[in-house]
Amino acid sequence: MKTEKFQAPCVPLITNDPMFNVWSFADKLTDDVPRHWTGARQFITGTIAIDGVLFQFIGKLQPDNSRYMTEFPALPQTDLTIRPMTTVYTFENETIRLRLQFMSPLLPDDLMLLSRPITYLSYHLEAKDAKPHQIHLFLGFSCELAVDHATQSVSFDETAYSICCSSGTENMLRRSGDDHRIEWGSFHLIAPHWSKVALPAQKLCSRIHSLYADKMEPTNPVNYQGPGGGDPAPEYYRDYESTAIYPHYPLLLAESRFELNGEKEDFLALGYDDIKSIQYFGENIEAYWRKDGDTFLDIMKKALEEYEEICIRVKSFEDALLQKANALSPKYGDILSLAYRQAVAAHKLTWHDGEIQFFSKENYSNGCIATVDVTYPSIPLFLIYNPTLVEGMLNPIFKLIEKGLWEFPFAPHDAGQYPLANRQVYGYSTSYFFRGITPLEKQMPVEECGNMILSVAGVCYAKKDFSYFKKHETLLRQWADYLLQAGYDPENQLCTDDFAGHLAHNCNLSVKAIMGIGAFAKMLADTGREAEAASYREKAAHFAALWEQNARTGDHTRLAFDQEDSWSIKYNMVWDNLLELNLFSPQIKKDEIAYYKKRIHAYGLPLDNRSDYTKSDWQLWSTVLTDDPEYFHLIIDRMWAFLQQTPDRIPFTDWYFTTKPFSRGFQNRTVQGGLFINLLQF
């Protein structure tokens, strides 16, 4: 039973899409400034004056460390709770209790709402001593949220519901990359009931110090700029004024004064209008929420009007999800709560040419967009809650081929590099060209064919509808035939675990091919083509029997057919159970799990014998091979321990060591949708 409070290594705050994506990289919200998932500073500050005594509760007052400044004391943080769509901090002293909630309503059954780029920030303030108190709240949001780097400029404006800063459209969809933040469009502070202004961060510091420094112990006699001052900053920014982020760090400020008698609550919203979201085969296309003609002004109005209803819907969804997860393990509930927003917000939802696109960004890797072997591990979450989103992940790949932009008989790896989905980039680097490496050498032929077939099968069996299979049957047949030819004993090639390098005769990759052929056969049978289905099924069964004979070594199976003293997690075999293909014997699955139990370390099960690192998604997939609650808890408890003990303050990594609690690489990736696999049933 879980008794220790869960402490995530990094806490989601604003999570809407890969660009509008801010986390706290600290245990306490005042230990550091909030940051974009890449680690780049995106300064948010929150202060509260209680009867003239000021406390910090978000970040710092100074946005950088260019000058020493004595910060006001932090209001003690006493609790932190992370749920799938909400993060709740509690701060309190002997006088008041402040509950602060960040909520991104990523409800999967409401694509308009899921696509809406708005996060809510609300508070509930309570007088613990039952006395009246004078309250002065400041919430400031840096215009860093609207730029890629601090040398870029923003201008200011206001709407009926917001004040905003804009980096314009000059850089809109001009370049791609992984360590890349938004550099076009407008960041909005939506707070109708608050006083709002745009001003330099140092002016906020000066103003707060002038109001409350006499209550500070010790008093700081040095102003923000330090001796000699520096370039003068304006008191406020006016509409249409333009300024670079550095050196004055402009921010949008919401301010509220009131007398607290008992309890009070209020909210504001943070939104981002990116105008055009993705470049899709040369055309700049819009987010899904614009599909029916809404403007950003329209959705701000809806966001305010629908707030209470959205809160109820979010809580209902979270309660239902956590009830299922906690029934398996409360620690599993914690893990899924941390994974949910990360997995969803690593995508951008768009609408074009009569269909949706749900573009993944391969974060902290190479920044690829619509990566097939990132889609594959992430789909359990989306198959459970809305399989149409999986269609959205696959549509760009089918469109790529439809446009004649793919030259190989096997499936592609990606559709470009985020946010430019124009054609595959993986394997086409000029550095490979000059080293004599051909695009073919860097592909994943068996991997991606299996991924596409299995993902389509997941859609069909989750929806109980084979329309998507029928629409793409020609290509799926081509890839199934490729697996028949090249899948059982793969040549020297990459699989999704490409960080481990090329490998010939990969037993787990062979399993993927067998699963792909078997899934294709099952879809044929369930659409009335029994004779064709029998042919594919027979070949898949033959391969499976041959595999059990050739892959086994003693009490387990090998990493590669030609490596006798080796082993690996056979995570691809999960579809044998989920799709009821029943191609592999129950005994070989039981033997695998028994062997895995012998190989588990303090923080998890290694991916294979080549290293002590693991992948979070593949570990959990292995728990579905058999009905073994003991093994499930071994994996969950160790993953929870890793999250609890790692010193790496980064969004939920999926690639980490099992003998020591350190990340090996990757963060904030959508593949954590795969952790939901224990809730997936067809």
Side-chain angles (χ1 to χ4, degrees), residues 108-123:
D109 62 346
D110 186 340
L111 297 187
M112 281 295 183
L113 184 57
L114 183 147
S115 172
R116 189 185 292 173
I118 291 176
T119 283
Y120 295 97
L121 176 54
S122 61
Y123 73 83

Side-chain angles (χ1 to χ4, degrees), residues 565-635:
D565 296 322
S566 65
W567 69 277
S568 65
I569 304 177
K570 302 305 185 296
Y571 54 82
N572 286 315
M573 203 177 285
V574 69
W575 300 103
D576 204 43
N577 295 3
L578 289 174
L579 296 177
E580 298 181 345
L581 301 178
N582 301 319
L583 293 167
F584 290 94
S585 68
Q587 188 60 49
I588 204 156
K589 298 171 189 174
K590 291 180 182 178
D591 291 346
E592 279 294 288
I593 298 304
Y595 186 77
Y596 297 164
K597 288 180 179 180
K598 300 175 186 177
R599 292 290 178 175
I600 291 177
H601 295 152
Y603 300 105
L605 176 68
L607 185 62
D608 56 52
N609 59 270
R610 291 173 292 180
S611 175
D612 71 338
Y613 58 59
T614 191
K615 287 283 270 85
S616 58
D617 42 358
W618 302 146
Q619 287 187 93
L620 266 187
W621 283 36
S622 71
T623 66
V624 184
L625 295 183
T626 62
D627 183 12
D628 188 336
E630 179 191 28
Y631 177 63
F632 169 78
H633 286 288
L634 286 173
I635 295 296

Side-chain angles (χ1 to χ4, degrees), residues 474-493:
T474 300
L475 271 176
L476 295 171
R477 182 185 300 275
Q478 175 182 313
W479 295 332
D481 290 343
Y482 184 90
L483 294 178
L484 286 174
Q485 175 188 354
Y488 170 71
D489 187 10
E491 295 179 345
N492 191 41
Q493 60 188 255

Side-chain angles (χ1 to χ4, degrees), residues 211-278:
L211 288 171
Y212 298 109
D214 62 332
K215 299 286 187 178
M216 187 175 179
E217 301 246 350
T219 299
N220 177 16
V222 182
N223 67 21
Y224 170 76
Q225 290 179 305
D231 293 335
E235 289 297 322
Y236 300 102
Y237 296 108
R238 309 299 177 188
D239 293 355
Y240 312 117
E241 274 190 304
S242 179
T243 183
I245 300 300
Y246 179 83
H248 299 306
Y249 298 99
L251 54 81
L252 308 181
L253 178 69
E255 183 179 351
S256 180
R257 289 178 183 262
F258 54 89
E259 182 175 88
L260 177 65
N261 288 288
E263 299 181 19
K264 180 177 172 59
E265 59 185 34
D266 202 353
F267 76 97
L268 52 77
L270 309 166
Y272 206 101
D273 181 6
D274 63 2
I275 307 169
K276 301 285 186 179
S277 300
I278 299 290

Side-chain angles (χ1 to χ4, degrees), residues 217-432:
E217 301 246 350
T219 299
N220 177 16
V222 182
N223 67 21
Y224 170 76
Q225 290 179 305
D231 293 335
E235 289 297 322
Y236 300 102
Y237 296 108
R238 309 299 177 188
D239 293 355
Y240 312 117
E241 274 190 304
S242 179
T243 183
I245 300 300
Y246 179 83
H248 299 306
Y249 298 99
L251 54 81
L252 308 181
L253 178 69
E255 183 179 351
S256 180
R257 289 178 183 262
F258 54 89
E259 182 175 88
L260 177 65
N261 288 288
E263 299 181 19
K264 180 177 172 59
E265 59 185 34
D266 202 353
F267 76 97
L268 52 77
L270 309 166
Y272 206 101
D273 181 6
D274 63 2
I275 307 169
K276 301 285 186 179
S277 300
I278 299 290
Q279 189 171 102
Y280 194 40
F281 301 112
E283 181 181 350
N284 292 346
I285 66 173
E286 298 174 337
Y288 185 90
W289 63 264
R290 293 186 187 271
K291 172 176 168 289
D292 296 332
D294 276 354
T295 66
F296 200 77
L297 198 65
D298 293 329
I299 67 164
M300 285 194 288
K301 183 174 185 289
K302 291 178 180 179
L304 296 172
E305 292 174 344
E306 298 169 2
Y307 171 69
E308 291 185 4
E309 176 198 346
I310 288 171
C311 288
I312 293 169
R313 292 173 61 194
V314 165
K315 185 178 184 303
S316 176
F317 178 90
E318 290 180 325
D319 287 347
L321 191 165
L322 290 174
Q323 182 180 17
K324 293 178 182 178
N326 290 338
L328 297 178
S329 164
K331 291 182 178 180
Y332 188 45
D334 289 337
I335 289 167
L336 295 192
S337 290
L338 184 60
Y340 184 88
R341 275 172 284 175
Q342 173 170 312
V344 178
H347 294 84
K348 187 69 177 183
L349 184 63
T350 61
W351 173 265
H352 182 263
D353 199 22
E355 65 181 17
I356 70 164
Q357 300 80 36
F358 196 43
F359 291 103
S360 64
K361 181 174 188 287
E362 194 171 344
N363 288 339
Y364 218 83
S365 179
N366 55 16
C368 280
I369 191 169
T371 303
V372 175
D373 60 291
V374 167
T375 290
Y376 172 72
S378 74
I379 61 175
L381 165 61
F382 303 102
L383 292 176
I384 294 166
Y385 293 110
N386 190 346
T388 297
L389 290 169
V390 180
E391 292 183 14
M393 298 180 202
L394 303 176
N395 285 339
I397 300 300
F398 287 120
K399 183 71 70 174
L400 173 82
I401 298 169
E402 177 187 311
K403 287 185 170 290
L405 298 174
W406 184 242
E407 64 264 44
F408 298 114
F410 49 81
H413 170 273
D414 62 77
Q417 187 181 51
Y418 198 95
L420 309 182
N422 293 324
R423 67 175 307 153
Q424 177 164 319
V425 297
Y426 192 81
Y428 289 85
S429 167
T430 53
S431 67
Y432 295 148

Side-chain angles (χ1 to χ4, degrees), residues 46 57 77 94 452 464 568 574 577:
F57 61 90
Q77 180 179 312
E94 67 282 356
M452 289 298 291
K464 309 288 192 292
S568 65
V574 69
N577 295 3

Side-chain angles (χ1 to χ4, degrees), residues 183-198:
E183 55 186 350
W184 71 92
S186 303
F187 168 61
H188 290 253
L189 171 56
I190 310 161
H193 307 129
W194 298 62
S195 298
K196 301 181 293 295
V197 70

